[in-house]
Amino acid sequence: MKTRPLINAALFLVTAVIFFINCASNSHSKIVVSPDFTKHPLINAVLAFVILDETPEVIYNGNVERALGQGNTEELARRFFHDRLFTDISNEVDVKTVFSSSGVSKHLITKEALELENEIITIEIPMNGTKFDFGATQADLVLTFSSIRIGTETSEHYHTRVDHGINTRVGRHLVYISNFVLWDNRTGTLISYGRVKSRVPIRGSESVVSEWEELSKQFVRKIFEPAGFLKRSRNK
């Protein structure tokens, strides 16, 4: 008579272990800091960020109205991604001014292969010595984004957990995925490049704006921390 509870308990443990392993693998990012990079004082530094994708991919399972307001889901998500970068780079990164621009893809000439867990991706970076020209506004640092994905990610074992009565409160996550290049525009040299993935659990039935803000801040920190550009790094 006790066989069924034991089976259910075993299923719970196995599924829970698989779920947490899956979450760990999905959080994978890889960043390469140039071995030639030497950090210089960022006094009154200006940073330009450039979204190279014409229309960043948005795959959102659910309704964003509670978090981002009414309107087209893809447009709302792209606008939040762009606009919140201003806030988080300004607040988290040791620079004075931030602005966004476009039209720098012609400078992305060389290619670097980046080996991830299950794939090898190619990231285009400028040729050594390249200086990005933004007209009247000069940039000390340039950050480019490509192959962006914004939206949600559902655990592949979520429905299995539902069927077995396991805690299902966190079945979906907000996710940002992007390739990036961080360039020193003063010296015309590479600082870092890579692929970043940030995930934040959707704790309720739908996402809220604080979860989107948490996601963006985590995303920015992951990009800038390896090179020591976060404001908190200044005091270490």
Side-chain angles (χ1 to χ4, degrees):
M1 298 294 293
K2 294 183 179 181
T3 302
R4 188 65 181 177
L6 288 173
I7 292 174
N8 287 338
L11 284 171
F12 174 88
L13 290 172
V14 170
T15 307
V17 169
I18 293 173
F19 170 67
F20 286 116
I21 290 174
N22 182 64
C23 286
S25 64
N26 282 337
S27 63
H28 184 72
S29 299
K30 188 166 185 178
I31 296 174
V32 177
V33 177
S34 171
D36 300 322
F37 167 62
T38 301
K39 186 178 178 183
H40 303 284
L42 295 178
I43 300 173
N44 296 327
V46 177
L47 181 143
F49 72 85
V50 183
I51 296 175
L52 297 173
D53 297 347
E54 184 175 344
T55 52
E57 182 181 34
V58 177
I59 303 176
Y60 189 93
N61 176 23
N63 189 317
V64 300
E65 183 174 335
R66 183 181 175 192
L68 305 182
Q70 296 182 335
N72 179 275
T73 295
E74 294 186 10
E75 292 177 359
L76 289 169
R78 292 187 190 109
R79 187 181 309 134
F80 181 89
F81 176 85
H82 176 277
D83 293 350
R84 189 68 193 183
L85 281 175
F86 276 104
T87 300
D88 289 322
I89 293 175
S90 298
N91 290 341
E92 301 294 325
V93 183
D94 196 12
V95 293
K96 181 181 179 181
T97 306
V98 178
F99 70 94
S100 68
S101 188
S102 60
V104 301
S105 58
K106 64 181 181 181
H107 294 295
L108 305 180
I109 299 173
T110 63
K111 299 179 184 292
E112 292 290 340
L114 189 67
E115 185 174 352
L116 302 177
E117 286 183 352
N118 301 314
E119 62 178 332
I120 296 176
I121 63 172
T122 300
I123 298 179
E124 295 181 324
I125 63 174
M127 183 177 294
N128 196 45
T130 296
K131 300 289 185 69
F132 291 90
D133 183 4
F134 297 100
T137 305
Q138 298 299 313
D140 301 297
L141 303 174
V142 179
L143 175 64
T144 64
F145 296 103
S146 61
S147 300
I148 300 167
R149 181 192 178 305
I150 305 165
T152 54
E153 185 174 79
T154 304
S155 165
E156 62 181 286
H157 302 289
Y158 175 69
H159 297 294
T160 302
R161 291 186 294 124
V162 171
D163 292 340
H164 291 92
I166 301 170
N167 179 18
T168 59
R169 289 185 62 190
V170 181
R172 291 184 299 152
H173 288 74
L174 290 174
V175 62
Y176 279 178
I177 305 172
S178 180
N179 298 346
F180 81 91
V181 174
L182 181 57
W183 189 256
D184 189 331
N185 209 39
R186 300 161 298 185
T187 61
T189 57
L190 177 67
I191 297 173
S192 61
Y193 69 94
R195 186 163 180 83
V196 172
K197 180 175 183 178
S198 292
R199 299 168 79 241
V200 167
I202 298 175
R203 300 172 180 90
S205 58
E206 290 294 348
S207 65
V208 294
V209 70
S210 61
E211 292 166 344
W212 283 85
E213 291 170 348
E214 180 183 349
L215 178 70
S216 179
K217 184 182 295 185
Q218 179 192 115
F219 181 71
V220 168
R221 286 176 173 174
K222 280 189 173 184
I223 290 170
F224 286 95
E225 188 166 31
F229 283 132
L230 295 183
K231 285 183 178 179
R232 64 172 182 260
S233 301
R234 178 173 49 187
N235 300 317
K236 289 184 178 180

